[in-house]
Amino acid sequence: MNKVERLFAPGTQAELRYHHGEFKILRQGTHVTCAVTGAPIPLDDLKYWSVERQEPYAGPEAALRRLQEIKAPSVTF
């Protein structure tokens, strides 16, 4: 995202399609929301996402937390 795109849609949620090593912007915006923490992630800072689950993460800790949630066995009583 460049400065012109940032001015185009200030403060709006972008819609992305996540691929391996890159993402495609489907709807212009300034940020996406972390799937784990709910924190906004400026597109310039987005470095962690899941292609399989199509969700962004605010950082490596959030990505690890999601992975642990998915791999953790569910317990029922």
Side-chain angles (χ1 to χ4, degrees):
M1 171 177 265
N2 62 36
K3 290 178 184 179
V4 173
E5 290 170 330
R6 192 173 298 138
L7 293 173
F8 178 75
T12 58
Q13 174 97 7
E15 183 179 339
L16 307 180
R17 171 65 61 190
Y18 302 99
H19 300 282
H20 295 285
E22 64 183 10
F23 55 83
K24 179 180 179 185
I25 299 174
L26 303 177
R27 185 179 66 217
Q28 291 292 335
T30 58
H31 69 279
V32 292
T33 301
C34 177
V36 175
T37 66
I41 310 163
L43 295 187
D44 289 340
D45 296 336
L46 180 60
K47 294 177 179 55
Y48 300 92
W49 60 82
S50 169
V51 174
E52 181 180 276
R53 289 178 295 286
Q54 288 294 298
E55 55 186 26
Y57 308 115
E61 297 85 6
L64 178 60
R65 192 162 123 201
R66 175 63 89 214
L67 184 60
Q68 290 170 335
E69 290 171 0
I70 291 168
K71 297 212 181 233
S74 58
V75 178
T76 57
F77 294 96

